[in-house]
Amino acid sequence: IICSCDHSMASAAAVDTMPDALRQSRYHMKRCFARLTGMGRRLMKFQHIKDEIEQTIEDKIERSKVLEGSLGDILSSTQEAAVVPPYVAFAIRHSPGIWDYVKVHADSLSVDIITSTDYLKFKETLFDEDWAKDENALEIDFGAFNVGIPSLALPSSIGDGLGYVLKFMTSMITRGSESAKPLVEYLLTLNHHGEKLMINETLNTVGKLRAALLIADVFVSALPKDTLYQNFEQKLKEWGFEKGWGDNAERVRQTMRILSEMLQAPDPTNMEAFFSRLPAIYKIVIFSVHGYFGQADVLGLPDTGGQVVYILDQVKALEEELLLRIKQQGLNVKPQILVVTRLIPDAQGNKCNQEMEPIANTMHSHILRVPFNTEKGVLGPWVSRFDIYPYLERFSQDATAKILELMEGKPDLIIGNYTDGNLVASLVASKLGVTLGTIAHALEKTKYEDSDVKWRELDPKYHFSCQFTADMIAMNAADFIITSTYQEIAGSKNRPGQYESHVAFTMPGLYRVISGINVFDPKFNIASPGADQSIYFPFMEKQKRLTKFQPAIEELLFSKEDNDEHIGFLADRKKPIIFTMARLDTVKNITGLTEWYGKNKRLRNLVNLVIVGGFFDPSKSKDREEMAEIKKMHSLIERYQLKGQIRWIAAQTDRYRNSELYRCVADTKGAFVQPALYEAFGLTVIEAMNCGLPTFATNQGGPAEIIVDGVSGFHIDPNNGDESSKKIADFFEKCKGDTRYWHRMSQAGLRRINECYTWKIYANKVLNMGLAYGFWRQLNQEQKKAKQRYIDIFYNLRFRKLAKNFTIPLEGIKPAASTETC
Ligand code: UDP
Ligand code: LCN
């Protein structure tokens, strides 16, 4: 069952055909390669290579002959090529997670399969030749520690880590009569504040446990199903059983039967059922460090968007699921969830300067804010997520002390979110020896082209040297990784995944990563978020509509005068509205949508455009990208004379009012448009769909999976504005002719949400992960320990130094006493 698959074998077959294919088109290929190398050293992306080939082989028929067959397949799978005359080295991605590297000699057309290391060296030559030649350049190889850890084989299995871990564990406990011993030992460790759960030392061998389960099964089966656990607790205790099996006779019998069957003939279904019933997780810590993490007046502020919504909704869903499970386990335990974030003394009128805040709609969950302490005092202002690294080590120490105090001991599960939260979570989890799950719906590496090889150029602005180092530390330290979609891990047919981009990459002068992460690692899981359905409900549920917001929304959309909250106006209010809402980051491409709209007369005639995002005075922004986008918005409105057809509304912070805004847009028979250049998941997409608003969303990233194109919404290509705006215009034209079409799309969107994107599904999956991986890490203790030592070295010798290179702004430092507590 242990599969340490050699994926290169499968892919090499395709590359093997390359010499023949080149030979067959020798004349044209020699010309193409001469052209590629003739322009000197460079890094080329697929589109550039294609353009060059098209320009070299002018004759269409000849060109298609050359590009048909295996050569065409290989070229179309090429992600990039490093041209170092007389060689061109290709990075070929056959399917998600499966790569080959080859170098072709431009004169002889000889083909050599090369290692990823050699390919990276080729690439480095383009940016830092001395480094590429340095025999002692630092190479990072996390893969060296994966020996003996099972890995998946098929790209289609990626993301179903839990399913496979359950299978691997099943096979491990089937290997002989005592192979289930680790499970017994694990059960013996379960306790709540020192009080034993499930079994005690009486049942310290597999044999004793099996025998006791048989006796107990006969006894419990004879009881009326609804007999309360307390009524037969004493009898079970005599045989070595403790609390946690169930709240009544029926539940106890089921749990015991599942375990008996597992010990007799293990199978993954029983394994999952058993782990999902284990009383092992009650105290959860979630780290979400940067931004303004608050429950009101923070959304839309720089760096503060979906992640805050995601974490708060996640907490609510996890607490609900924990309470349900605790009840079913027959325990009287209070769960506790702490979201640990940064305390910002200079909070902009929100509560981010308060130490503790109960989380709304929960009973046992709180936000704990810990300030960024420095040697000179506490940091007062907000800092960008890109500049946060110098503060994290001290933050994790301060946070640990506070958590241990508040939880009166260690948490059972630690979850990190985003680079900073994950790094802190990995430091704390390693220190406390707690199971670690990480989340990074938006790894920055893929957002900026060539951000790795160009790190030196980008570092002053983005500090990617710190960020990518922190990301690799966290993803390797994690026991399991929660992702929102498949594409986040392993991308799509043509685009590598966010995690996949960390498999092999190089930052010349810093280090070369020859194995950063393995996307076939069974730690990867997909658990997609939902939207809070008590807030985002369909527009046609009239009795639930939040009518109190409607006058304000009417003003927000349709009043004629500009003010601090909105500019522009809608001259013809009978037209449907196309609506978008996002932070004004470049990647969100709100300016792109404005331009598409500006250019497309047909669309402008059919609909109005309403945008929520940022604010109007660039000098008021503290965020570099936001400032540039604000200026661009103004110039586009001017250039395309959009006044009368566009309403630009400043960032909105009230989720309830926003939900009603989506519904009011649905009332106009409009649509939501999410035009991002890349979107990791895209909460606005599911919020809009939950409200019954037909949705057009980017085909780059998560929304491509959320929406089935043409069925539950539409995909649009952010890199092809004309095509996208035509698709939107076609939709509204069709709706004009057939109003039922709009309703059909609205309903189909809602169906898709309810089948796949709810918080209930999410919470169930994540708790099961915490439980199963908690045991899995015990089974792989040795490898885990070795890897952790390597991580520690990497952290100490690289990350710390990089983070120390930052200057801590002194003007922001305040004496510790100035923070507020409540
Ligand atoms: N949002 C908001 N006001 C704004 C912009 C965004 O309330 O002005 C909310 C939006 O409703 C969604 C979240 O912020 O809940 C954005 O999440 P998404 O996943 O779309 O993008 P992110 O900001 O995380 O990149
Ligand atoms: C971060 C992002 O970039 C979004 O795509 C996600 O929807 C959000 O986090 C919540 O997961």
Side-chain angles (χ1 to χ4, degrees):
I1 190 94
I2 292 189
C3 166
S4 34
C5 282
D6 184 1
H7 295 102
S8 62
M9 302 262 289
S11 57
V15 169
D16 281 348
T17 61
M18 201 168 169
D20 272 348
L22 288 174
R23 221 171 288 129
Q24 274 163 23
S25 310
R26 195 170 170 81
Y27 169 70
H28 291 300
M29 280 298 110
K30 279 204 73 152
R31 288 183 61 226
C32 287
F33 276 92
R35 187 178 172 116
L36 294 180
T37 49
M39 284 179 283
R41 292 178 173 188
R42 23 208 200 130
L43 188 62
M44 299 180 78
K45 300 292 167 190
F46 167 69
Q47 194 53 45
H48 302 141
I49 304 169
K50 199 171 150 237
D51 291 349
E52 293 300 336
I53 292 179
E54 281 177 1
Q55 282 175 30
T56 315
I57 315 174
E58 283 151 5
D59 184 78
K60 261 192 177 171
I61 303 172
E62 280 296 303
R63 198 193 306 148
S64 57
K65 253 199 250 164
V66 171
L67 295 179
E68 270 165 18
S70 56
L71 192 59
D73 285 350
I74 292 171
L75 285 176
S76 64
S77 307
T78 296
Q79 284 297 320
E80 60 174 30
V83 182
V84 183
Y87 290 104
V88 182
F90 293 89
I92 301 164
R93 180 174 176 267
H94 300 279
S95 48
I98 301 187
W99 292 72
D100 257 325
Y101 302 93
V102 294
K103 67 172 188 195
V104 178
H105 192 286
D107 294 331
S108 65
L109 297 188
S110 63
V111 180
D112 289 303
I113 296 184
I114 55 174
T115 60
S116 59
T117 314
D118 285 338
Y119 175 75
L120 294 176
K121 285 184 185 168
F122 259 102
K123 212 168 148 176
E124 287 160 5
T125 309
L126 309 175
F127 297 88
D128 185 341
E129 197 164 359
D130 290 343
W131 167 264
K133 283 189 185 145
D134 183 351
E135 282 181 13
N136 296 313
L138 177 60
E139 284 189 355
I140 303 298
D141 181 7
F142 284 102
F145 297 88
N146 289 344
V147 181
I149 303 245
S151 148
L152 311 180
L154 304 173
S156 57
S157 308
I158 293 173
D160 182 22
L162 178 61
Y164 283 90
V165 157
L166 291 163
K167 287 180 190 155
F168 297 141
M169 294 199 303
T170 302
S171 89
M172 283 179 172
I173 67 164
T174 347
R175 286 189 197 141
S177 58
E178 277 306 295
S179 61
K181 199 160 170 246
L183 181 63
V184 177
E185 283 165 0
Y186 179 66
L187 293 180
L188 283 169
T189 65
L190 298 180
N191 73 88
H192 185 250
H193 288 306
E195 192 189 350
K196 284 237 162 248
L197 296 171
M198 300 299 275
I199 57 173
N200 59 40
E201 284 300 327
T202 321
L203 304 178
N204 61 2
T205 67
V206 181
K208 286 183 197 166
L209 177 58
R210 261 206 198 115
L213 283 168
L214 276 181
I215 302 170
D217 187 317
V218 176
F219 167 74
V220 181
S221 301
L223 298 172
K225 286 184 178 171
D226 56 358
T227 314
L228 291 179
Y229 178 78
Q230 295 83 292
N231 297 344
F232 56 95
E233 176 177 9
Q234 210 40 48
K235 191 78 199 155
L236 289 187
K237 208 171 170 94
E238 283 169 24
W239 291 318
F241 294 104
E242 300 287 340
K243 287 184 186 134
W245 293 89
D247 54 342
N248 60 29
E250 175 59 4
R251 184 94 190 163
V252 172
R253 190 193 61 78
Q254 283 171 2
T255 314
M256 289 186 159
R257 189 67 65 83
I258 292 170
L259 180 58
S260 289
E261 282 176 11
M262 246 171 78
L263 294 174
Q264 173 186 270
D267 78 273
T269 314
N270 268 338
M271 188 73 109
E272 177 158 33
F274 184 67
F275 273 98
S276 71
R277 286 167 181 240
L278 278 187
I281 297 183
Y282 302 111
K283 293 189 274 185
I284 303 177
V285 169
I286 301 170
F287 284 101
S288 186
V289 182
H290 72 254
Y292 291 94
F293 194 103
Q295 302 185 77
D297 305 323
V298 297
L299 286 179
L301 295 180
D303 284 2
T304 312
Q307 307 197 28
V308 174
V309 176
Y310 171 81
I311 298 294
L312 289 171
D313 284 356
Q314 177 199 44
V315 167
K316 197 174 144 204
L318 286 175
E319 189 187 289
E320 271 168 27
E321 187 64 27
L322 279 175
L323 287 170
L324 174 71
R325 290 186 182 199
I326 289 169
K327 191 196 154 294
Q328 289 172 338
Q329 286 155 356
L331 296 175
N332 182 18
V333 166
K334 272 199 194 123
Q336 204 180 355
I337 304 181
L338 279 182
V339 177
V340 186
T341 188
R342 180 197 161 197
L343 184 145
I344 307 175
D346 300 349
Q348 306 287 308
N350 54 55
K351 291 189 178 167
C352 292
N353 55 359
Q354 292 188 359
E355 186 183 51
M356 285 290 274
E357 191 186 342
I359 296 182
N361 303 316
T362 68
M363 287 184 290
H364 310 283
S365 304
H366 291 82
I367 299 172
L368 164 66
R369 298 195 183 88
V370 177
F372 279 170
N373 283 306
T374 72
E375 280 167 15
K376 304 203 170 63
V378 170
L379 186 73
W382 169 86
V383 275
S384 153
R385 68 191 192 276
F386 295 120
D387 304 334
I388 209 165
Y389 300 100
Y391 311 100
L392 297 180
E393 182 168 308
R394 174 72 191 270
F395 175 84
S396 56
Q397 291 158 355
D398 296 344
T400 306
K402 208 72 208 171
I403 291 163
L404 293 176
E405 179 194 321
L406 288 167
M407 290 195 151
E408 294 173 20
K410 292 197 278 185
D412 305 312
L413 175 64
I414 293 181
I415 296 178
N417 179 51
Y418 193 73
T419 310
D420 47 1
N422 287 337
L423 182 76
V424 171
S426 69
L427 294 174
V428 179
S430 149
K431 185 168 178 194
L432 301 180
V434 173
T435 309
L436 170 68
T438 59
I439 302 165
H441 290 178
L443 289 164
E444 301 289 339
K445 190 166 171 295
T446 40
K447 281 197 201 165
Y448 302 81
E449 192 165 85
D450 297 327
S451 55
D452 43 15
V453 273
K454 294 186 180 155
W455 71 275
R456 273 208 185 94
E457 192 185 303
L458 295 167
D459 235 38
K461 219 168 161 191
Y462 294 108
H463 303 115
F464 286 146
S465 58
C466 281
Q467 181 145 24
F468 303 166
T469 306
D471 281 330
M472 273 191 304
I473 288 173
M475 61 182 89
N476 279 288
D479 293 297
F480 63 99
I481 297 178
I482 307 166
T483 66
S484 60
T485 50
Y486 182 96
Q487 65 77 34
E488 197 180 311
I489 315 168
S492 53
K493 188 169 172 286
N494 299 322
R495 184 186 182 118
Q498 294 186 55
Y499 284 95
E500 191 180 2
S501 82
H502 293 76
V503 172
F505 68 98
T506 185
M507 299 172 87
L510 191 61
Y511 51 72
R512 175 186 306 135
V513 179
I514 56 172
S515 171
I517 190 76
N518 173 13
V519 289
F520 292 90
D521 193 313
K523 67 165 69 173
F524 280 106
N525 286 282
I526 302 168
S528 308
D532 186 331
Q533 293 184 319
S534 66
I535 304 176
Y536 301 98
F537 53 83
F539 72 98
M540 57 285 186
E541 292 184 12
K542 291 266 183 284
Q543 72 295 351
K544 280 168 77 182
R545 291 283 295 258
L546 307 177
T547 45
K548 65 172 179 180
F549 293 122
Q550 287 176 356
I553 290 174
E554 166 75 21
E555 195 281 332
L556 203 60
L557 290 174
F558 298 115
S559 72
K560 290 278 185 291
E561 299 302 316
D562 286 358
N563 63 21
D564 284 351
E565 213 184 359
H566 51 74
I567 59 173
F569 65 96
L570 306 180
D572 179 359
R573 60 172 294 171
K574 285 202 271 331
K575 282 189 203 166
I577 287 173
I578 55 171
F579 173 52
T580 195
M581 174 163 68
R583 293 176 293 114
L584 272 193
D585 269 9
T586 319
V587 73
K588 296 288 181 190
N589 200 26
I590 299 301
T591 46
L593 173 64
T594 310
E595 184 148 31
W596 306 346
Y597 179 76
K599 278 183 172 171
N600 189 327
K601 287 220 172 69
R602 190 162 62 103
L603 187 61
R604 286 173 69 166
N605 284 335
L606 285 162
V607 294
N608 289 316
L609 175 62
V610 171
I611 284 168
V612 169
F615 43 95
F616 317 124
D617 179 358
S619 66
K620 282 196 187 144
S621 176
K622 284 181 280 174
D623 188 89
R624 293 178 280 254
E625 285 191 8
E626 194 180 55
M627 279 181 226
E629 286 296 287
I630 294 172
K631 287 184 196 155
K632 199 167 165 193
M633 274 298 290
H634 287 296
S635 79
L636 288 170
I637 292 173
E638 215 37 57
R639 185 177 338 145
Y640 292 102
Q641 297 289 301
L642 293 177
K643 288 254 166 79
Q645 291 178 312
I646 190 174
R647 178 70 136 201
W648 177 11
I649 301 168
Q652 294 297 304
T653 55
D654 184 335
R655 302 172 73 188
Y656 289 89
R657 195 168 91 162
N658 289 350
S659 73
E660 196 50 33
L661 181 55
Y662 284 111
R663 286 185 289 268
C664 288
V665 174
D667 291 337
T668 74
K669 299 291 165 280
F672 187 74
V673 183
Q674 212 285 15
L677 300 174
Y678 176 77
E679 186 63 61
F681 181 70
L683 286 180
T684 51
V685 172
I686 56 170
E687 288 167 1
M689 289 167 78
N690 266 292
C691 293
L693 195 51
T695 300
F696 292 78
T698 179
N699 63 6
Q700 300 297 313
E705 268 170 67
I706 302 174
I707 290 173
V708 182
D709 188 30
V711 176
S712 41
F714 301 93
H715 294 167
I716 46 173
D717 182 354
N719 300 310
N720 190 343
D722 292 345
E723 184 196 279
S724 300
S725 64
K726 179 179 175 304
K727 199 165 176 177
I728 304 171
D730 288 349
F731 169 77
F732 281 103
E733 221 147 57
K734 192 164 172 184
C735 290
K736 256 187 156 177
D738 172 10
T739 47
R740 284 168 312 173
Y741 183 55
W742 188 93
H743 286 280
R744 277 205 301 279
M745 289 313 293
S746 161
Q747 285 298 327
L750 279 165
R751 259 198 310 281
R752 175 85 181 152
I753 291 293
N754 288 321
E755 277 162 17
C756 309
Y757 300 98
T758 70
W759 281 111
K760 173 82 188 150
I761 304 175
Y762 174 97
N764 187 45
K765 270 195 194 168
V766 169
L767 281 184
N768 287 356
M769 286 176 212
L771 292 160
Y773 286 94
F775 179 51
W776 181 238
R777 72 199 292 272
Q778 309 283 341
L779 291 177
N780 297 294
Q781 267 178 55
E782 293 306 318
Q783 291 95 328
K784 218 180 143 50
K785 203 160 143 198
K787 196 183 229 180
Q788 188 58 48
R789 301 311 282 162
Y790 188 62
I791 292 171
D792 293 345
I793 293 170
F794 191 42
Y795 174 81
N796 220 297
L797 301 183
R798 276 289 125 159
F799 179 83
R800 276 180 130 188
K801 278 205 185 118
L802 291 166
K804 275 196 185 126
N805 286 343
F806 282 43
T807 36
I808 294 180
L810 286 177
E811 72 277 12
I813 307 286
K814 303 189 171 207
S818 65
T819 59
E820 241 179 67
T821 50
C822 83

